[in-house]
């Protein structure tokens, strides 16, 4: 059980370190093969070589905590694309996902941090309502948008049922501050707020 | 064409199965919760007549380290007492650990302080950097196991706190490996505990906590029999009220008394619940002063409430006992534990319990150097001289 319990947090650490290394070294190493090798070597160091008793990944975990399941999906996509020229997610599905994260995140975090008496984080403890909403979005995505996106929207629920993170709250399987920062950055940098228009079109304006 | 059709049906079937696997367990686990758990209340009874008794002592007089703070206390299964507090070279220092000491039944003196848990053990168990430890709260579980919920900080000050739990199956002699509680979605920071937990009729625990990051507010965490967070409710919002003390008044009613972090002069803040902690009224100021300091208290079997608080506008040099006979609407100061002149004296972070024989035990920080222990009975509270 402890292996299962630690699998997802460990995968999150691997992916986060790998993404950081990939993005940083991508500017220095242009050759794809060399880039993959350098990331693999640095990743091994980051994951296994302790500095003051903890590995780089554990130091990172000390600050950012565990990543959500949707972060794992997005980060896996970044690695596949940057290191292997593979696109796990179609651009439209990725952008829809990031737009959704940004939209939810900018409302969710201030409320969860005490701005109002309403605490949306509480909905994640016995998340019948949240599961219903996620299922409706997933079914809509299956029928109208992208089938992979439909499945991705169910992954946090599956991981929550198996208690694969330390948290007992569904929100922590769905979203995390690192993902929100990444989503906002991507939307701003790529001027992808225009995609909201596309989302509006999908959801019938 | 037929193959395409079969393929589509298979994909749809696989998707439906996945959907069911995702949703059904959540619905199955959470829909049966029809009956709302209630507060466990000590049955109303007359207080026993006895000679007034008040005993002064220290849970640690020689605390082995220069600075101690944030004590907690609980009655052990054998009728003795177990106290914990954090201590080291200074509050927030990297050498700070949680200490514990016992007072065995019949003994007058506390045992020599022993280390319970610190940053090293927590770091090893959690795979994270832990800079320091802080407040702890001892809780008796439904199976008579003992839980210790304590604060750790990885980065920054107390605003960067997270909650952790260790469990003892031998009444505090040994403890399981630390486990982290996730109670905030924002890097899981800024949750602290201070006051005693409350018990629910279904065996779950209500742990009062507070946040000190962007907001300064109070919450109630619900913990199941495995010590996992199963729900939480917000008691206050904004930046005004922390360190809630929860006093159940009836199976559905409770009052939360809180430290005032708002504009001076401060007053003890109160919020009420009529649905076993699910919803809370907006906090209101009581007449009791509060110099931005923690309070402790309990409800006695006759229904009166006791509150230990610093009865000053500023400074923590005086520590008093107030009593309310009308569920916390009006209060009267009945005793003083400390009354020093204003200056460097600090008597703070009180923690009050009532043991099964009716004695009350108060711990508090004594000038950051010692943990004071005062035991007293109902007759002493009600006016008799010891």
């Amino acid at each position: 059980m402890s292996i299962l319990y630690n699998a997802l947090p460990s995968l999150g650490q691997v992916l986060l370190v790998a993404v950081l290394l990939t993005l940083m070294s991508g500017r220095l190493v242009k050759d794809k093969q060399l880039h993959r090798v350098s990331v693999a070597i640095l990743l091994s160091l980051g994951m296994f070589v302790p500095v003051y008793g903890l590995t780089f990944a554990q130091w990172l975990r000390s600050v950012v905590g565990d990543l959500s399941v949707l972060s794992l999906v997005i980060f896996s996509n970044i690695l596949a694309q940057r290191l292997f020229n593979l696109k796990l997610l179609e651009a439209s599905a990725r952008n829809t996902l990031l737009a959704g994260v940004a939209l939810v995140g900018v409302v969710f975090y201030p409320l969860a941090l005490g701005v109002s008496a309403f605490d949306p984080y509480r909905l994640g403890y016995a998340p019948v309502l949240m599961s219903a909403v996620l299922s409706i979005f997933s079914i809509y995505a299956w029928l109208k948008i992208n089938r992979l996106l439909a499945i991705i929207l169910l992954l946090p629920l599956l991981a929550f049922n198996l208690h694969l993170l330390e948290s007992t709250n569904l929100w922590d399987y769905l979203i995390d501050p690192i993902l929100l920062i990444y989503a906002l950055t991507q939307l701003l940098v790529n001027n992808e707020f225009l995609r909201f228009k596309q989302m509006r079109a999908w959801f019938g304006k | 064409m037929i193959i395409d059709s079969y393929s589509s049906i298979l994909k749809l079937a696989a998707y439906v199965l996945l959907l069911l696997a995702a949703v059904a367990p959540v619905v199955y686990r959470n829909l049966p919760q029809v009956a709302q758990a209630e507060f466990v209340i000590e049955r109303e009874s007359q207080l026993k007549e006895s000679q007034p008794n008040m005993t002064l002592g220290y849970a640690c007089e020689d605390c082995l380290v220069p600075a101690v703070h944030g004590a907690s206390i609980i009655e052990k299964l054998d009728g003795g007492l177990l106290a914990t507090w954090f201590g080291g070279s200074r509050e927030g220092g990297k050498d700070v650990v949680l200490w514990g000491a016992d007072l065995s039944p019949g003994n007058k003196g506390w045992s020599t302080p022993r280390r319970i848990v610190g940053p090293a053990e927590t770091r090893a168990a959690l795979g994270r950097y832990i800079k320091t430890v802080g407040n702890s709260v001892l809780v008796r579980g439904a199976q008579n196991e003992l839980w210790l919920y304590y604060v750790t900080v990885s980065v920054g000050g107390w605003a960067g706190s997270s909650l952790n739990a260790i469990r003892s199956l031998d009444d505090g002699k040994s403890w399981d490996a630390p486990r982290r509680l996730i109670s905030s979605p924002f890097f899981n920071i800024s949750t602290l505990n201070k006051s005693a937990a409350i018990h629910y009729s279904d065996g779950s625990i209500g742990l009062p906590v507070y946040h000190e990051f962007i907001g300064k507010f109070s919450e109630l965490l619900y913990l199941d029999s495995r010590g996992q967070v199963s729900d939480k409710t917000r008691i206050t919002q904004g930046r005004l009220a922390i360190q809630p003390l929860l006093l159940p008044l009836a199976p559905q009613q409770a009052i939360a008394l809180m430290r005032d972090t708002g504009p001076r002069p401060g007053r003890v803040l109160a919020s009420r619940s009529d649905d076993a902690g699910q919803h809370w009224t907006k906090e209101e100021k009581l007449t009791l002063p509060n110099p931005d300091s923690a309070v402790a208290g309990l409800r006695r079997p006759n229904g009166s409430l006791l509150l230990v608080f610093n009865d000053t506008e500023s400074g923590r040099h005086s520590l008093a006992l107030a009593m309310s006979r009308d569920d916390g609407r009006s209060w009267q100061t009945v005793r003083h534990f400390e009354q020093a002149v204003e200056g460097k004296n600090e008597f703070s972070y009180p923690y009050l319990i009532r043991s099964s024989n009716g004695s009350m035990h108060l711990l508090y920080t004594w000038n950051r150097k010692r943990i004071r222990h005062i035991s007293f009975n109902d007759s002493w509270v009600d006016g008799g001289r010891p």
Side-chain angles (χ1 to χ4, degrees):
Chain A
M1 187 62 192
S2 66
I3 294 173
L4 191 67
Y5 192 69
N6 286 316
L8 216 57
S10 304
L11 180 63
Q13 290 171 45
V14 172
L15 286 177
L16 183 57
V17 177
V19 165
L20 287 174
L21 292 170
T22 303
L23 295 178
M24 287 188 295
S25 61
R27 295 180 185 280
L28 302 172
V29 186
K30 297 295 177 197
D31 179 72
K32 280 281 174 198
Q33 185 68 25
L34 194 59
H35 191 198
R36 283 197 285 267
V37 172
S38 58
V39 168
I41 293 170
L42 290 171
L43 183 61
S44 310
L45 293 174
M47 294 304 299
F48 300 113
V49 178
V51 180
Y52 293 108
L54 293 175
T55 63
F56 176 68
Q58 287 175 319
W59 282 105
L60 210 55
R61 191 187 188 201
S62 308
V63 180
V64 303
D66 292 333
L67 298 182
S68 64
V69 174
L70 294 188
S71 273
L72 303 187
V73 171
I74 292 292
F75 289 174
S76 300
N77 188 53
I78 294 171
L79 289 179
Q81 200 172 336
R82 298 269 179 151
L83 294 177
F84 303 101
N85 283 332
L86 291 171
K87 276 195 175 177
L88 301 180
L89 276 174
E90 284 176 22
S92 64
R94 170 192 175 275
N95 292 334
T96 305
L97 199 59
L98 289 179
V101 165
L103 208 60
V104 170
V106 293
V107 178
F108 170 71
Y109 281 105
L111 291 176
L113 290 174
V115 165
S116 83
F118 173 63
D119 179 12
Y121 190 59
R122 190 186 178 194
L123 298 173
Y125 283 114
V128 176
L129 180 66
M130 281 181 71
S131 344
V133 171
L134 268 178
S135 303
I136 289 167
F137 276 112
S138 172
I139 292 167
Y140 188 85
W142 180 270
L143 296 174
K144 299 278 186 183
I145 306 174
N146 181 292
R147 289 184 172 181
L148 186 56
L149 180 63
I151 292 169
I152 287 169
L153 287 174
L154 297 179
L155 294 180
L157 265 173
L158 290 166
F160 172 77
N161 289 333
L162 295 170
H163 195 186
L164 294 182
L165 295 176
E166 282 174 326
S167 177
T168 49
N169 190 306
L170 179 57
W171 280 108
D172 294 312
Y173 293 76
L174 265 179
I175 190 171
D176 60 73
I178 298 292
L179 181 62
L180 175 62
I181 292 165
Y182 179 75
L184 289 174
T185 310
Q186 285 297 299
L187 290 168
L188 289 170
V189 167
N190 299 329
N191 201 19
E192 291 287 354
F193 276 115
L194 294 173
R195 293 277 175 188
F196 279 112
K197 286 184 181 172
Q198 193 177 343
M199 282 180 73
R200 279 171 53 196
W202 281 331
F203 290 102
K205 304 193 176 178
Chain B
M1 187 69 180
I2 293 170
I3 292 172
D4 274 359
S5 171
Y6 274 132
S7 169
S8 296
I9 290 169
L10 278 177
K11 281 179 186 169
L12 182 62
Y15 172 69
V16 171
L17 277 177
L18 199 67
L19 189 64
L20 285 174
V23 178
V26 175
V27 175
Y28 175 75
R29 276 203 301 262
N30 295 297
L31 276 189
Q33 293 176 357
V34 181
Q36 168 82 45
E38 298 184 323
F39 296 122
V40 174
I41 303 281
E42 197 171 342
R43 220 169 35 173
E44 299 274 334
S45 64
Q46 288 297 312
L47 302 177
K48 287 177 193 166
E49 292 289 331
S50 59
Q51 286 296 310
N53 181 43
M54 194 271 262
T55 312
L56 295 166
Y58 292 96
C60 77
E61 189 165 12
D62 174 11
C63 297
L64 308 178
V65 290
V68 293
H69 197 35
S72 167
I73 185 170
I74 199 164
E75 183 179 15
K76 297 206 295 181
L77 296 175
D78 65 2
L81 298 170
L82 171 66
T84 59
W85 61 88
F86 67 89
S89 57
R90 61 177 176 84
E91 180 179 336
K94 290 181 181 176
D95 62 346
V96 173
V97 302
L98 281 177
W99 298 88
D102 305 277
L103 181 64
S104 301
N107 278 12
K108 294 233 178 218
W110 287 75
S111 65
T112 305
R114 64 178 187 280
R115 178 196 173 104
I116 291 190
V117 69
E121 301 92 318
T122 313
R123 172 169 141 163
L126 303 183
R128 293 173 167 91
Y129 173 64
I130 302 294
K131 187 174 78 173
T132 192
V133 299
N135 293 344
S136 60
V137 171
L138 286 158
V139 183
R140 177 70 63 190
Q143 307 298 319
N144 270 337
E145 77 280 17
L146 206 53
W147 293 91
L148 181 64
Y149 293 96
Y150 65 102
V151 166
T152 58
V153 176
S154 292
V155 182
W158 293 125
S161 299
S162 299
L163 284 181
N164 309 272
I166 50 176
R167 187 185 59 164
S168 172
L169 299 176
D170 54 12
D171 224 17
K173 291 187 186 75
S174 63
W175 297 87
D176 289 351
R179 201 164 43 73
R180 171 141 294 190
L181 269 66
I182 309 294
S183 50
S184 164
F186 190 74
F187 300 118
N188 193 38
I189 60 167
S190 182
T191 309
L192 302 96
N193 54 1
K194 153 69 187 81
S195 301
I198 53 171
H199 293 83
Y200 279 93
S201 53
D202 64 354
S204 61
I205 302 286
L207 184 68
V209 299
Y210 60 102
H211 292 251
E212 273 195 272
F213 179 48
I214 295 171
K216 287 189 174 184
F217 55 95
S218 297
E219 288 187 332
L220 176 60
L221 287 188
Y222 295 82
L223 305 167
D224 62 19
S225 57
R226 294 163 298 164
Q228 307 264 27
V229 183
S230 60
D231 195 5
K232 72 166 178 170
T233 56
R234 188 161 287 172
I235 300 173
T236 64
Q237 64 183 86
R239 294 184 55 80
L240 295 174
I242 61 169
Q243 295 178 341
L245 162 73
L246 262 57
L247 302 180
L249 307 169
Q252 293 285 334
Q253 277 83 46
I255 183 170
L257 299 163
M258 292 164 285
R259 168 176 170 173
D260 186 349
T261 56
R264 304 289 94 194
R267 294 285 177 266
V268 175
L269 300 169
S271 177
R272 290 173 188 275
S273 172
D274 287 323
D275 54 6
Q278 292 295 308
H279 301 90
W280 294 87
T281 59
K282 184 170 171 47
E283 72 278 358
E284 60 187 68
K285 291 193 175 212
L286 300 179
T287 52
L288 301 173
N290 184 258
D292 198 354
S293 66
V295 299
L298 52 79
R299 178 183 180 276
R300 294 198 290 173
N302 68 353
S304 62
L305 305 181
L306 298 183
L307 186 74
V308 181
F309 70 112
N310 293 113
D311 60 329
T312 59
E313 297 288 348
S314 69
R316 300 173 177 179
H317 51 277
S318 181
L319 192 68
L321 179 71
M323 181 162 60
S324 169
R325 295 184 189 276
D326 55 4
D327 286 347
R329 286 175 190 85
S330 63
W331 293 85
Q332 185 184 9
T333 300
V334 292
R335 292 284 188 180
H336 272 91
F337 299 106
E338 303 276 1
Q339 266 186 306
V341 290
E342 195 169 355
K344 285 187 177 176
N345 285 302
E346 178 187 330
F347 312 111
S348 60
Y349 271 57
Y351 199 105
L352 182 68
I353 63 163
R354 184 182 183 91
S355 60
S356 50
N357 67 3
S359 305
M360 284 163 279
H361 298 275
L362 170 68
L363 292 189
Y364 57 88
T365 304
W366 191 88
N367 285 327
R368 300 266 175 162
K369 290 180 170 59
R370 297 171 183 169
I371 300 297
R372 185 66 132 159
H373 171 221
I374 298 179
S375 65
F376 52 91
N377 63 4
D378 290 313
S379 300
W380 181 78
V381 172
D382 294 328
R385 290 286 163 193

